[in-house]
Amino acid sequence: MPNQHSKQALNNINTNNINTNDTNNDTSWFPKWQPYSGNLDQHPVGIHEYLPVDKSILLGLQHAFAMFGATVLAPLLMGFDANLAILMAGLSTIGFFFLTGGRVPSYLGSSFAFIAPVIAATAYAGSGFNANLSVALGGIVACGAIYAMIGLLVMKTGVAWIERLMPPIVTGAIVMIIGLNLAPVTIKSVSDSQFDSWIALLTVLCISGVAVFARGMLRRLLLLVGLILAYLAYFVLTNVMGFGMPIDFAPVANAPLFGLPKFYAPSFDINAIILIAPVAFILVAENLGHIKAVEAMTGQKVSPYMGRAFFADGACTMMSAGVGGTGVTTYAENIGVMAVTKVYSTTIFVVAGLVAVLLGLSPKFGAIIHSIPPALLGGASIVVFGLITIAGAKIWIDNKIDFSQNANLIIGAVTLIMGAGDFSLHIGQFNLGGIGTATLTAIVLNLVLNRQS
């Protein structure tokens, strides 16, 4: 449990800070936030601490950058409006903050779990606008409703039964496969040419250099600063020196500064609902894994607010899809940012949400972000997804999982290989996907192999 490994999880920080910020016995909806007074080079920023406005804005920008690539990619793969997805991701993140009472540090972005069932339900051809968008939206709204009801059940009955269903051996594996499952896609995205591969490596080196050699606030902004450095290097290599594909700034110049995206209404088709609604159970597993990863990083118990997180995520998914946005989920990319910055304040995510809202309302700023070459985003993804994987391993280490026991050995080994290899099962027309299949396998194996006598 987190209380047993808090010292290790917080990398030898002052344990008095943990006790001060532990508000799990607080019965109020919102905690009592405290100003951060530590040294950013030595002490993490706790969940219920807040930084000055200038630092909060910079860190919020970094979280917005971290989520941007995936939150834009998911709607494009389903034929949704990417700018609307960004807007709704920002509003959902702010909504999540209030619905959880600021107890769970998370960013809500477009969920990849919806891609396969949405494509199946709408017969989407893979490019352009999805002509059957409305039936997909209806299925996503239904999924959000189921997810929210699960959250209400957990709030009523407690989290003990979920924790028995998904102990650390299972949740650690789930967190790890979220990173590992995305690895092949990330590597493929930077393998179109040797130039792209070298640029991705350059991006990794820029981010790593900032992470290791920078100090103070600059180190906390490693992804943002690293991407800016890599972007400048790419501009010099392509636009100035003539290597590779130059950055095209014409879309930036032609895009309006402000603009409201078009909204879309859902329609409810029973076949689409049957295909899409079961994604709720995959989102539960993902969210649980993310919460466990946050606990491992912070040394603070977040699980008591799991029901709030499930309900908030489901409600925000309904809100997003209700106007044409994608289904949303807590984002692994932003958990990776927390892992490396060690800034866990929930107030940062409100700032990130506001940044995303501005992005969604500004086609010009969106065009600037879209100008970031895929190789740079791929290099950043290598770092972030790797950090997610390590966070899962940390759950195992901090909970002292005994791999001399064959049950734990089999659960961990089988789950990781299935997740990393994207092994996928189909139940009728419903595709569980690599993460869903591996998650279900881990749960079933644990129930069978780790039965209590």
Side-chain angles (χ1 to χ4, degrees):
M1 298 297 290
N3 286 340
Q4 295 172 331
H5 65 262
S6 58
K7 183 175 181 180
Q8 181 181 3
L10 288 171
N11 297 319
N12 300 319
I13 69 167
N14 187 340
T15 55
N16 289 332
N17 193 49
I18 300 173
N19 295 329
T20 299
N21 292 314
D22 188 356
T23 60
N24 290 318
N25 294 324
D26 184 0
T27 57
S28 61
W29 190 260
F30 289 97
K32 295 179 180 178
W33 278 284
Q34 301 173 357
Y36 177 74
S37 58
N39 186 321
L40 284 174
D41 280 332
Q42 299 175 1
H43 302 295
V45 179
I47 292 175
H48 304 134
E49 294 181 317
Y50 62 88
L51 290 166
V53 173
D54 57 341
K55 292 183 173 63
S56 295
I57 291 174
L58 290 174
L59 286 160
L61 279 169
Q62 179 167 252
H63 274 291
F65 270 82
M67 67 82 200
F68 191 87
T71 291
V72 167
L73 180 60
L76 292 177
L77 293 176
M78 294 184 287
F80 285 50
D81 184 333
N83 247 39
L84 179 58
I86 288 287
L87 173 64
M88 297 313 299
L91 292 174
S92 295
T93 299
I94 297 169
F96 183 89
F97 172 85
F98 285 102
L99 289 173
T100 60
R103 305 281 187 170
V104 183
S106 287
Y107 187 97
L108 297 191
S110 303
S111 172
F112 278 68
F114 287 99
I115 294 175
V118 163
I119 290 174
T122 60
Y124 179 58
S127 62
F129 180 74
N130 192 329
N132 295 317
L133 175 67
S134 63
V135 297
L137 297 175
I140 295 172
V141 169
C143 174
I146 294 173
Y147 193 9
M149 286 188 287
I150 293 173
L152 291 174
L153 178 62
V154 172
M155 291 172 66
K156 180 69 175 178
T157 62
V159 301
W161 62 276
I162 286 189
E163 293 187 329
R164 284 195 298 270
L165 194 66
M166 297 181 176
I169 180 62
V170 173
T171 54
I174 292 172
V175 173
M176 292 178 73
I177 62 175
I178 289 170
L180 291 172
N181 184 265
L182 296 168
V185 177
T186 301
I187 298 303
K188 185 179 179 180
S189 72
V190 297
S191 301
D192 288 342
S193 69
Q194 277 296 300
F195 181 78
D196 283 350
S197 298
W198 281 107
I199 290 297
L201 179 59
L202 174 65
T203 305
V204 170
L205 292 175
C206 287
I207 294 172
S208 302
V210 176
V212 174
F213 299 112
R215 293 291 181 269
M217 193 64 191
L218 197 62
R219 175 184 285 182
R220 293 293 193 254
L221 298 172
L222 75 164
L223 287 174
L224 181 60
V225 174
L227 272 176
I228 290 174
L229 292 175
Y231 188 94
L232 293 174
Y234 186 95
F235 174 81
V236 172
L237 288 170
T238 58
N239 292 62
V240 177
M241 299 178 66
F243 296 102
M245 181 69 69
I247 300 172
D248 181 10
F249 292 104
V252 178
N254 296 329
L257 184 59
F258 297 107
L260 193 66
K262 183 178 179 180
F263 297 104
Y264 303 89
S267 62
F268 297 93
D269 176 82
I270 186 62
N271 293 321
I273 291 172
I274 290 173
L275 282 171
I276 299 172
V279 171
F281 299 100
I282 298 176
L283 298 180
V284 166
E286 286 182 347
N287 205 336
L288 175 63
H290 292 169
I291 286 174
K292 290 299 182 181
V294 170
E295 282 192 335
M297 289 187 295
T298 63
Q300 293 180 250
K301 294 199 71 174
V302 185
S303 293
Y305 309 109
M306 194 181 298
R308 293 191 192 184
F310 291 170
F311 174 78
D313 199 350
C316 290
T317 289
M318 294 174 67
M319 175 184 71
S320 176
V323 296
T326 60
V328 294
T329 186
T330 53
Y331 244 39
E333 286 85 343
N334 298 87
I335 290 174
V337 171
M338 286 192 289
V340 74
T341 62
K342 294 181 173 59
V343 176
Y344 310 116
S345 172
T346 52
T347 59
I348 297 298
F349 291 93
V350 176
V351 178
L354 291 172
V355 170
V357 169
L358 292 176
L359 285 173
L361 295 175
S362 176
K364 184 174 289 291
F365 197 74
I368 294 173
I369 301 300
H370 277 294
S371 74
I372 299 175
L376 269 67
L377 293 175
S381 296
I382 291 173
V383 176
V384 172
F385 295 152
L387 290 169
I388 296 166
T389 304
I390 295 302
K394 193 172 186 299
I395 292 175
W396 284 352
I397 294 170
D398 292 341
N399 287 277
K400 298 180 174 61
I401 299 299
D402 184 4
F403 284 105
S404 67
Q405 296 182 14
N406 284 347
N408 290 335
L409 196 62
I410 293 296
I411 293 168
V414 171
T415 303
L416 292 187
I417 294 302
M418 290 178 70
D422 201 28
F423 181 84
S424 180
L425 292 176
H426 295 252
I427 301 176
Q429 291 183 304
F430 180 64
N431 183 356
L432 283 175
I435 293 176
T437 301
T439 296
L440 180 62
T441 300
I443 293 171
V444 172
L445 285 177
N446 176 69
L447 291 174
V448 173
L449 302 179
N450 273 330
R451 290 181 299 177
Q452 299 294 322
S453 58

